[in-house]
Amino acid sequence: MTTIQQPTGDNDRFERGLALLKEIGGPDGPAVLESLGDIAPDLGRITVEFGYGDILSRPGLTLRERELTTVGALAALGHAAPQLRWHINGALNVGCTRTEIVEVLIHASVYAGFPVALNGLTAAKEVFAARTDLPEEPAPEPAPTGARFERGTAALSEIDGEAGEQVVAALQDIAPDFARLLVEFSFGDIYARPGLDLKTREMVTVAMCTALGAAPQLGVHIHGLLNVGGSEQEVVEVLIQMAGYAGFPAALNGISVARTVFAERRSHRNADA
Amino acid sequence: MTTIQQPTGDNDRFERGLALLKEIGGPDGPAVLESLGDIAPDLGRITVEFGYGDILSRPGLTLRERELTTVGALAALGHAAPQLRWHINGALNVGCTRTEIVEVLIHASVYAGFPVALNGLTAAKEVFAARTDLPEEPAPEPAPTGARFERGTAALSEIDGEAGEQVVAALQDIAPDFARLLVEFSFGDIYARPGLDLKTREMVTVAMCTALGAAPQLGVHIHGLLNVGGSEQEVVEVLIQMAGYAGFPAALNGISVARTVFAERRSHRNADA
Amino acid sequence: MTTIQQPTGDNDRFERGLALLKEIGGPDGPAVLESLGDIAPDLGRITVEFGYGDILSRPGLTLRERELTTVGALAALGHAAPQLRWHINGALNVGCTRTEIVEVLIHASVYAGFPVALNGLTAAKEVFAARTDLPEEPAPEPAPTGARFERGTAALSEIDGEAGEQVVAALQDIAPDFARLLVEFSFGDIYARPGLDLKTREMVTVAMCTALGAAPQLGVHIHGLLNVGGSEQEVVEVLIQMAGYAGFPAALNGISVARTVFAERRSHRNADA
């Protein structure tokens, strides 16, 4: 990392960031930072200090969760192929399985469309093929089949509760077929798949909806993450992390949605008390 | 298609989807699905079952309309180059002309900017060049010239009616030049071009605004599609189709806009009665 | 430019556009327009007439400002690599320094995330390396270090005034750490960097927020641009320019935000009077 400008600053952000960057990316550091040494050495330093020293070093999420949400968001944005490959590698380095990474990318089909999922999996295939150090993994359990609507309805109810049911109900007058497809495909096919637990699926969903600016769905799935065992702190951490990958506007708009959801749940609890 | 996982499920979604996929893509099937056989065989199956068996098989739009709206949306998103090429090929396979495809991509300049149009046409050029089986097409009629503002005003009024006029009127206080450019370029130059009928232009516009999350413009152009002969069912079909290419949030947010537009028109009709 | 269709029309838009295109792009013209001569010759003509003859020829912004805002917006969108390289070249041709271009791309990390900044800088590196005609530039001044929060607070207050302080205040209940990161990184690290003046930074920010559809932040930074010496006309010009690079919906939605901001400031002034 000799070409990354060293900090002259006031704290250990650079050292902390560089150590984490090497834990995630491996000892060599990202080629893109090295290659910018002659044109924008500052940006290498800032990426290390801010991206890794400030954001990714925060407590509140595991590194595995940070890498899987990042892979989901970069895939959904669709325009950051080098970074997507880097973080697929990073996810492997911090202990994510190939199955989990594949599941995150398949999950992206729901929130950003099939092209995103297909292109993400093509990237994953390349990254996996370049690694000779990956342990054997058990074959993934088969995905469930049959009774898609019933399974989807149960999953929707478990995950998104009332908010999810309202989405489906609101479609009945105008596009009832689409309500059925939403339940069958999104919840019956995808959410019900083995290989990635529901809480991580909701974290990834929150990350993707934040990166894409899909505010109504972000609200539903912040509820969802809280419903399947996530905490308000975890929600906020996912949103903060998106500042680095999709920009501060995306993160700030996500925080606005979270504030509303947190208040709704508080007022609901008070009403119950 | 030997590496695509066969379904174990409850219906003929896979068979119906695979037949349609071959009708659109040709007998070989998409290389990307084949190439994922070793990493995510499920996604190949899901793409066939959901994308082709559930969505693209639906009645309500012709295959030509489905492929042209998909080409427009993928071009507008800008991040799905392999899928854009695949569906340009698909559009040719289901009977669209090269002129129609070129017009869809030129049309995208209005809704997603010139880079999108230029990069889409570069992709089309490559796809067309690789095909030796395309019939001769008559040279496109020349685009109209002169009187751009008058022609644009007439087209705006025909297509978008009051909603379009309100957009222009709202610009008068703050950016009157921009109102003129909007009328001259978008409606005088682009909408008035031969080679793609108005109804298909509006379908493609609805698809692009949905994929991009441009809600106010989506509202104007759902009115537009209904004004030039489209039905509510066709609007809903275009929106549902976008779930597969831009994700469910994009489609759901589009449905919300459509609900408002349909209600406005109903209340307007009742007021007239 | 022999393959670009010549106009048959009513004015000198083509000649004016072509002259400007050559001033920005160099005498050869963009290869993409040439290469489309056989598939969509109209689009070459339209790009010259509308993009260069109508939009980029407008008064109200310098060509340097037009190119820097375009570079920022194309980088932020992330899906227009050929056009980003073309306009980095164009920025150099109209007198922007390499330092200014690098700063615009580093600035994009705040509004669109680090992947966008890193990929933009990779493009800039390639463009710079291919030019043998660039003058020596003084090494950029070192970025400030230490006292990031204090410097950031001062910058935020200078640039965004009350609107910026409200953004930070609104985070205190839900994500106080994120408020600190926003001040330290966005304003303490990035806005405070030498190499690009504040007014140009705010112009680029307005361009990027418009292209990305980040409406709340666009409002804050239209205030910001006006606070650091920009005029309402300059705001409107940046928004109009985005029609060509991100599409008319993005520009129209930006105009709506500008209308609200202009009215707020007028009513505030009246209240003060």
Side-chain angles (χ1 to χ4, degrees), chain B residues 81 85 88-89 119-131, chain C residues 36 39:
Chain B
R85 284 193 293 271
I88 290 173
N89 245 316
N119 297 338
L121 284 162
T122 301
K125 194 175 149 82
E126 291 166 13
V127 171
F128 295 172
R131 302 271 299 229
Chain C
L36 294 176
I39 178 174

Side-chain angles (χ1 to χ4, degrees), chain B residues 128-145:
Chain B
F128 295 172
R131 302 271 299 229
T132 55
D133 61 334
L134 298 176
E136 286 284 312
E137 284 184 25
E141 289 176 62
T145 57

Side-chain angles (χ1 to χ4, degrees), chain C residues 178-258:
Chain C
F178 189 53
R180 185 179 52 73
L181 289 171
L182 173 70
V183 170
E184 287 180 350
F185 170 69
S186 304
F187 291 90
D189 284 343
I190 302 296
Y191 270 93
R193 292 172 61 80
L196 192 68
D197 65 274
L198 270 185
K199 185 177 160 188
T200 310
R201 283 193 187 273
E202 283 300 78
M203 279 185 177
V204 170
T205 302
V206 166
M208 293 191 297
C209 289
T210 305
L212 295 170
Q217 290 71 35
L218 178 59
V220 170
H221 289 283
I222 289 175
H223 275 297
L225 177 49
L226 297 171
N227 289 343
V228 299
S231 67
E232 293 195 357
Q233 190 200 355
E234 287 172 323
V235 169
V236 170
E237 284 303 318
V238 174
L239 297 175
I240 291 178
Q241 182 158 317
M242 289 304 108
Y245 298 108
F248 276 79
L252 286 167
N253 294 337
I255 295 275
S256 292
V257 174

Side-chain angles (χ1 to χ4, degrees), chain B residues 254-266:
Chain B
I255 295 274
S256 293
V257 174
R259 182 182 298 111
T260 304
V261 170
F262 294 174
E264 280 170 14
R265 294 174 79 94
R266 220 158 280 139

Side-chain angles (χ1 to χ4, degrees), chain C residues 28-45:
Chain C
D28 293 337
V32 65
L33 296 188
E34 293 283 347
S35 80
L36 294 176
D38 55 341
I39 178 174
D42 278 359
L43 191 67
R45 179 181 54 77

Side-chain angles (χ1 to χ4, degrees), chain A residues 160-183:
Chain A
D160 291 334
E162 277 179 35
E165 285 158 22
Q166 283 165 10
V167 169
V168 171
L171 291 170
Q172 292 305 331
D173 58 337
I174 187 171
D177 286 0
F178 188 52
R180 185 180 51 74
L181 289 171
L182 174 70
V183 170

Side-chain angles (χ1 to χ4, degrees), chain A residues 83-272:
Chain A
Q83 290 75 30
L84 177 59
R85 284 192 294 269
W86 161 263
H87 284 286
I88 290 172
N89 244 315
L92 293 169
N93 290 339
V94 300
C96 302
T97 64
R98 279 163 286 183
T99 296
E100 286 173 320
I101 294 166
V102 166
E103 285 303 317
V104 165
L105 296 168
I106 291 177
H107 193 86
S109 68
V110 176
Y111 294 98
F114 277 80
V116 150
L118 294 168
N119 296 338
L121 285 163
T122 300
K125 192 175 150 84
E126 290 167 14
V127 171
F128 295 173
R131 302 271 301 229
T132 55
D133 62 333
L134 298 176
E136 286 283 314
E137 283 184 25
E141 290 176 61
T145 57
R148 299 165 69 233
F149 187 78
E150 294 70 21
R151 187 172 58 244
T153 304
L156 177 68
S157 173
E158 174 184 358
I159 300 165
D160 291 334
E162 277 179 35
E165 285 158 22
Q166 283 165 10
V167 169
V168 171
L171 291 170
Q172 292 305 331
D173 58 337
I174 187 171
D177 286 0
F178 188 52
R180 185 180 51 74
L181 289 171
L182 174 70
V183 170
E184 288 180 349
F185 170 68
S186 304
F187 292 90
D189 284 344
I190 303 295
Y191 270 93
R193 292 171 61 80
L196 193 68
D197 64 276
L198 270 185
K199 185 177 161 189
T200 310
R201 284 193 185 273
E202 282 302 77
M203 280 187 177
V204 170
T205 302
V206 166
M208 293 191 298
C209 288
T210 304
L212 294 171
Q217 290 72 35
L218 178 58
V220 169
H221 289 283
I222 289 176
H223 275 297
L225 177 49
L226 297 171
N227 289 344
V228 298
S231 67
E232 293 194 358
Q233 190 199 356
E234 287 172 323
V235 169
V236 170
E237 283 304 317
V238 173
L239 297 175
I240 290 177
Q241 181 159 316
M242 290 303 108
Y245 296 107
F248 276 78
L252 286 167
N253 295 339
I255 296 275
S256 292
V257 174
R259 181 182 299 111
T260 304
V261 170
F262 294 175
E264 280 169 13
R265 295 174 78 93
R266 219 160 280 138
S267 108
H268 207 270
R269 278 199 299 275
N270 291 343
D272 289 350

